[in-house]
Amino acid sequence: MEQKRLGYGWMRLPLLDPNHKDSVDIERASALADEFIRRGFTYFDTGYMYHEYESENVLRRCVVERHPRDSYTVADKMPMVNLKEQEDQVRIFDEQLRKTGLEYFDYYLLHNLNSRACEKAKRFDTINFLREKKKEGFIRKLGFSFHDTAELLEQILRENPDLEFVQLQINYLDWENEGIQSRKCYEVARKYGKPVIVMEPVKGGTLANNVPEKAQDLFRQAHSEWSVPSWAIRFAASLDGVMMVLSGMGDEDQLADNCSTMENFVPLTEEEQKVIVQARDMINDTIAIPCTGCRYCVEGGSCPQNILIPNYFSLYNVEQQDTNPSWSSQKEYYTNLVAQGYGKASDCIECLQCEAACPQHIPVARWLKKVGETFE
């Protein structure tokens, strides 16, 4: 099946209750999936812990039970953070097949490989376990998603030449970021000839919702008909060797915009690339905390104080860009969340479990102090 290079990230679906990630609006999600497939796109990316462990069930209900198997492809992942003992691999893999309703996965990944996850994968012999699943026909292509240094990525690819693709965080804001090393990791993947799947091309919505007005003006002057987030999608898709760009499309407008961008995609020109560099410099001057909202810092009890870290960081970033000094809606939202029983930012005990889980390498505890000072 020839695939267009836009993938549907099944991680930020429309919700019936915005305070409960497992309350996916099945009717709307089904309609979004239908439109995605109708427009010729096929790739769906899910994960074990997405939407409070409901994403795979939702995929079954919205896609697998409603569309012919040859009209879509599915990527799922072995959640390294959930592996406590070797036997968990069998249990989780079987559970994923059952929840998705699939007989096989088109793409399967070791999820979020970093130095700690690599140690666990060696201890539990995870790659060989998945190689066997591939031999048995349950996996068509085997790869991994990665959040660490280019040096570690090269080591993994050198030691495991049969891994078939790499999923990397790539966007124009992180391209030269030394903490994330987007460009360096991309170059390593290309050195080893591995196709690249791009995650976080819009950086969790940052490159759609938190782009300063002067950068938006720059984009509009270059192409008045292009949306702001489409520049981020185009940047990632223009890179040589990128086989898929994932986007978490939570509503109809996002889906329509992304599909329009990628239906008849043409790579960016050199002049358009220069526009992105200028916009990136402008954005870097305004964003305080580079959080993507992946929620790894709060999944599985990572925060013993039940602090809603991604939500608080998002509110803080918007607060820094708010031009209305008379009233802070962000503070209202913060106060409401605390009233619902979540820990305050100042409740942080600096155990640093969140920082160990953060793929963005954010000094979470330090920023929580800033959040507390701002909203409390």
Side-chain angles (χ1 to χ4, degrees):
M1 183 194 305
E2 183 179 352
Q3 295 194 99
K4 295 182 179 181
R5 284 185 287 167
L6 176 67
Y8 202 150
W10 219 236
M11 183 182 183
R12 297 184 175 97
L13 298 171
L15 303 174
L16 296 172
D17 182 346
N19 295 317
H20 295 280
K21 295 294 182 181
D22 57 351
S23 67
V24 177
D25 187 330
I26 297 296
E27 183 176 345
R28 282 187 69 197
S30 295
L32 289 167
D34 292 350
E35 178 66 6
F36 186 71
I37 292 173
R38 186 191 72 78
R39 296 183 71 157
F41 299 93
T42 60
Y43 191 99
F44 291 86
D45 173 89
T46 187
Y48 187 65
M49 72 282 290
Y50 295 171
H51 282 285
E52 301 292 347
Y53 299 89
E54 281 299 310
S55 176
E56 293 160 332
N57 283 323
V58 173
L59 183 75
R60 184 191 72 250
R61 295 175 63 184
C62 297
V63 178
V64 177
E65 293 178 349
R66 302 176 61 255
H67 291 275
R69 185 62 178 93
D70 61 358
S71 68
Y72 61 86
T73 56
V74 172
D76 208 338
K77 311 172 186 75
M78 177 59 67
M80 302 306 297
V81 69
N82 291 84
L83 299 184
K84 308 303 180 186
E85 54 189 30
Q86 193 165 13
E87 291 72 20
D88 287 339
Q89 297 172 153
V90 177
R91 174 183 60 80
I92 289 174
F93 192 87
D94 290 346
E95 181 183 350
Q96 290 176 309
L97 285 171
R98 183 176 70 254
K99 288 167 73 174
T100 58
L102 295 170
E103 295 181 353
Y104 64 90
F105 297 110
D106 301 277
Y107 301 87
Y108 198 85
L109 301 82
L110 290 88
H111 194 181
N112 191 21
L113 277 191
N114 52 32
S115 57
R116 297 177 304 281
C118 284
E119 291 174 4
K120 185 182 289 187
K122 288 180 180 178
R123 187 164 71 251
F124 294 157
D125 202 23
T126 306
I127 296 180
N128 279 331
F129 168 77
L130 295 177
R131 285 174 176 137
E132 286 301 312
K133 289 297 180 184
K134 188 173 187 293
K135 288 180 181 178
E136 294 167 5
F138 294 108
I139 296 170
R140 296 292 170 87
K141 290 187 179 295
L142 179 61
F144 62 99
S145 65
F146 184 79
H147 290 286
D148 213 304
T149 66
E151 181 180 7
L152 179 60
L153 177 60
E154 180 146 21
Q155 178 184 333
I156 295 170
L157 293 176
R158 185 172 60 247
E159 294 176 354
N160 302 278
D162 60 322
L163 294 178
E164 297 167 273
F165 63 94
V166 183
Q167 185 165 305
L168 299 173
Q169 176 170 319
I170 294 177
N171 57 70
Y172 65 76
L173 196 60
D174 293 330
W175 188 241
E176 299 294 349
N177 186 302
E178 271 304 309
I180 298 169
Q181 298 190 359
S182 279
R183 177 181 57 78
K184 291 181 178 179
C185 287
Y186 164 77
E187 289 172 353
V188 168
R190 298 308 300 144
K191 173 183 175 180
Y192 284 83
K194 303 300 180 183
V196 173
I197 297 175
V198 173
M199 56 182 160
E200 301 290 355
V202 193
K203 201 169 174 63
T206 294
L207 300 181
N209 304 318
N210 291 330
V211 176
E213 192 63 35
K214 60 181 180 179
Q216 294 186 42
D217 288 342
L218 189 67
F219 286 143
R220 284 191 286 263
Q221 289 168 15
H223 284 287
S224 60
E225 72 279 14
W226 289 7
S227 71
V228 170
S230 79
W231 282 86
I233 298 292
R234 294 172 199 273
F235 171 83
S238 295
L239 295 169
D240 181 56
V242 167
M243 60 170 280
M244 195 64 58
V245 178
L246 303 179
S247 180
M249 295 168 277
D251 61 41
E252 293 76 9
D253 290 341
Q254 291 174 10
L255 183 89
D257 185 45
N258 286 351
C259 288
S260 296
T261 298
M262 293 300 293
E263 272 178 325
N264 299 293
F265 177 71
V266 177
L268 293 173
T269 66
E270 185 176 342
E271 287 303 311
E272 290 161 350
Q273 294 281 7
K274 290 179 180 177
V275 171
I276 283 183
V277 171
Q278 294 177 57
R280 181 185 68 208
D281 292 341
M282 295 175 181
I283 296 168
N284 278 329
D285 290 337
T286 63
I287 293 178
I289 312 174
C291 173
T292 68
C294 71
R295 308 188 71 79
Y296 292 171
C297 59
V298 294
E299 292 287 359
S302 292
C303 179
Q305 299 297 93
N306 196 30
I307 300 172
L308 210 56
I309 298 168
N311 303 61
Y312 294 174
F313 282 178
S314 177
L315 292 174
Y316 181 85
N317 280 337
V318 176
E319 181 75 2
Q320 303 312 300
Q321 298 174 315
D322 200 334
T323 57
N324 179 10
S326 62
W327 180 71
S328 169
S329 63
Q330 289 75 237
K331 186 172 183 179
E332 291 292 323
Y333 282 116
Y334 177 87
T335 303
N336 290 339
L337 289 170
V338 171
Q340 292 174 29
Y342 293 105
K344 296 182 294 184
S346 61
D347 291 337
C348 175
I349 58 175
E350 299 188 29
C351 67
L352 305 187
Q353 293 185 61
C354 53
E355 296 188 12
C358 179
Q360 309 305 320
H361 311 287
I362 296 171
V364 177
R366 190 181 76 198
W367 278 112
L368 283 174
K369 289 181 180 178
K370 292 282 189 182
V371 173
E373 292 168 1
T374 300
F375 292 132
E376 296 172 29

